[in-house]
Amino acid sequence: MGLDDFFVRALLAGIGIAIVAAPLGCFIVWRRMAYFGDAMAHSALIGVALGIAVGVSRPAGVVLAVGVLAVLFVVLERKTWISSDTGLGILAHSSLALGLVALSLAGGRGVNYSAYLFGDILAVSREDLLHIYVFGAVLLAVLLAVWRPLLSATVHQDLAQAEGVRVYRMRAILILLIALVIALAMQLVGVLLTTSLLIIPAATARRYARAPESMALLAVLIGILSVVSGLYASLWWDIPSGPSIVLAATGLFALSLLPLPFFPSPD
């Protein structure tokens, strides 16, 4: 089998996304930003509708929509009368509803909601593969460049600020990187499952890792294993590919909850 085989392209695409998403997912888990990632994934539908309406590329529309949502969250976060989780809940559900309505208005009755919500990894082309690996390499390079200050700002914000780390700039960079990964991953697993691919491998790796770097590497391996096993399960049992990948990741997380030798039992 070569690159002309759709299954090989799907495997390569999924592996490429897993390599980029897993390290960022670690920061989402460390910062307890899971709901924030979910809200951003929902807002991606607005970006898709924007792309259809004004003729820009889907990734550009997604990044713009997610960026606006992040600004709105920062504004809501500063309001003392509303808690962070409440603000995120409002943004997550309202952005999903607005995205669905905007898609309907932008594309009419011919809009394939299933493709946007659940993705179609088996339809990945050679050009998609090129985009995934080129942009993925750029995202990883940026993440590696800011790894230390970003990790410092994540572990202890006040101490990092005292040491000269620009905490708010690091947060902005993290949000932008997450937005770009969501734009890349939407075609693979869809808007409703993108956050799962970011979070579940990282949450599983946290069970075994002893250091941040080892957790990131282990999360990458778990993400790759989830993609490969999920796609083969989809092939064997003729079930949807995107949900199969997430269910495979969930199965690995469930296994991590079992008490194993040399590892403490999870709380």
Side-chain angles (χ1 to χ4, degrees):
M1 293 190 297
L3 282 179
D4 291 330
D5 187 277
F6 71 95
F7 190 76
V8 173
R9 293 198 300 271
L11 279 173
L12 291 175
I15 290 171
I17 290 294
I19 291 172
V20 181
L24 280 171
C26 292
F27 283 99
I28 292 176
V29 170
W30 291 329
R31 286 175 171 259
R32 298 181 180 179
M33 293 173 60
Y35 207 1
F36 178 68
D38 197 39
M40 287 202 299
H42 287 175
S43 72
L45 280 179
I46 302 175
V48 173
L50 180 64
I52 294 174
V54 303
V56 299
S57 66
R58 184 171 61 183
V62 169
V63 172
L64 178 60
V66 172
V68 171
L69 180 98
V71 172
L72 288 175
F73 172 66
V74 171
V75 172
L76 285 177
E77 197 177 31
R78 294 182 177 181
K79 303 296 183 181
T80 56
W81 51 269
I82 186 170
S83 63
S84 295
D85 60 337
T86 301
L88 283 175
I90 293 171
L91 289 176
H93 299 300
S94 60
S95 60
L96 177 60
L98 179 60
L100 290 172
V101 171
L103 273 177
S104 178
L105 294 175
R109 295 183 179 180
V111 174
N112 184 0
Y113 295 104
S114 178
Y116 293 126
L117 294 175
F118 303 107
D120 189 5
I121 191 172
L122 298 179
V124 171
S125 66
R126 287 171 174 259
E127 290 75 16
D128 293 328
L129 277 180
L130 180 62
H131 292 157
I132 288 169
Y133 279 90
V134 170
F135 288 112
V138 172
L139 294 180
L140 280 179
V142 173
L143 181 60
L144 288 173
V146 300
W147 178 270
R148 281 299 169 189
L150 185 57
L151 182 60
S152 178
T154 299
V155 173
H156 200 301
Q157 179 173 313
D158 293 336
L159 181 60
Q161 205 161 13
E163 293 175 348
V165 175
R166 297 185 176 181
V167 172
Y168 293 105
R169 175 180 293 184
M170 290 298 105
R171 180 166 183 166
I173 291 174
L174 177 62
I175 290 172
L176 178 59
L177 290 175
I178 294 172
L180 292 171
V181 168
I182 289 173
L184 279 178
M186 273 187 63
Q187 182 170 334
L188 297 180
V189 294
V191 64
L192 295 181
L193 302 176
T194 296
T195 311
S196 299
L197 195 59
L198 278 165
I199 296 170
I200 297 177
T204 306
R206 191 175 192 177
R207 164 79 166 89
Y208 306 107
R210 294 290 182 267
E213 290 77 12
S214 62
M215 178 174 163
L217 291 175
L218 185 56
V220 168
L221 295 177
I222 293 170
I224 291 173
L225 181 58
S226 301
V227 168
V228 173
S229 57
L231 281 175
Y232 272 104
S234 173
L235 180 66
W236 291 333
W237 294 315
D238 192 24
I239 55 180
S241 301
S244 298
I245 293 172
V246 178
L247 285 177
T250 304
L252 293 174
F253 175 75
L255 289 175
S256 75
L257 299 178
L258 300 175
L260 297 175
F262 310 112
F263 290 102
S265 298
D267 297 330

